[in-house]
Amino acid sequence: MAARRLVIGRRLLQRMLEHCLEEKPLEACGILAGTNGYVNAVYATDNARRSPVSYQVDPEQQEEALRRIAAAGEGLLGIYHSHPSAKAVPSRSDIEYAVHYPDAVRLIISLDGPIDVGAFLIRDGQVEPVHLHIRDGLGGTYYDLRQRCGT
Ligand SMILES: [Zn+2]
């Protein structure tokens, strides 16, 4: 049964947001891990497409993240990416390319105007919203797997 909600600590979300701002104007991306819908680790990765309108998690960094997630006894909860100049809803290509990991929540962070975060499940071209709970005082660790630094 796929997660219908995702819980993340405010501090961890803030760190993800900084990652997205660092990569602007390109889309940023990364991986969310944890258990029972609670995000315990964020892995920032390079966008292999280096594009302002689409993303692909760097395949080697994705492997590295999945190795660490398995070693920690956690699961892949989600994949996040930014929309530097679009709303926090899946783009056509987000829906088209969401063929792997159908149970992973797609978190989209919009930097277009006031920062906005959307969470979705995308399966067989269908988009279903997921409840995102942002909690104060919840821990979690941010790992930066990127090879290229900042801007
Ligand atoms: Zn997108």
Side-chain angles (χ1 to χ4, degrees), residues 27 55 81 83 91 94:
E27 288 199 4
Y55 77 100
H81 73 284
H83 279 176
S91 66
D94 289 339

Side-chain angles (χ1 to χ4, degrees), residues 3-81:
R4 297 297 161 89
R5 67 164 196 170
L6 196 69
V7 186
I8 188 165
R10 190 175 298 281
R11 210 175 53 82
L12 201 51
L13 183 66
Q14 182 61 36
R15 194 61 197 84
M16 278 169 52
L17 203 58
E18 285 165 19
H19 163 214
C20 293
L21 290 170
E22 283 162 17
E23 296 292 342
K24 201 180 169 185
L26 301 179
E27 288 199 4
C29 58
I31 288 173
L32 307 172
T35 48
N36 297 323
Y38 281 76
V39 178
N40 193 47
V42 168
Y43 296 87
T45 63
D46 282 314
N47 176 359
R49 290 211 181 98
R50 309 269 310 151
S51 161
V53 292
S54 73
Y55 77 100
Q56 183 195 4
V57 173
D58 178 276
E60 279 182 26
Q61 292 165 20
Q62 175 170 315
E63 255 182 57
E64 172 66 18
L66 292 177
R67 250 197 313 272
R68 293 195 197 185
I69 291 165
E74 297 181 338
L76 170 71
L77 292 185
I79 298 165
Y80 71 93
H81 73 284

Side-chain angles (χ1 to χ4, degrees), residues 76-140:
L76 170 71
L77 292 185
I79 298 165
Y80 71 93
H81 73 284
S82 65
H83 279 176
S85 54
K87 300 297 172 199
V89 293
S91 66
R92 188 170 299 188
S93 72
D94 289 339
I95 296 169
E96 214 169 290
Y97 291 118
V99 288
H100 302 296
Y101 309 112
D103 291 340
V105 174
R106 313 287 159 154
L107 202 73
I108 301 176
I109 298 167
S110 171
L111 309 175
D112 182 36
I115 284 164
D116 189 22
V117 185
F120 310 89
L121 282 172
I122 303 173
R123 279 183 289 212
D124 303 322
Q126 301 296 308
V127 177
E128 182 189 334
V130 170
H131 295 290
L132 180 68
H133 299 268
I134 301 164
R135 295 252 179 99
D136 292 314
L138 204 63

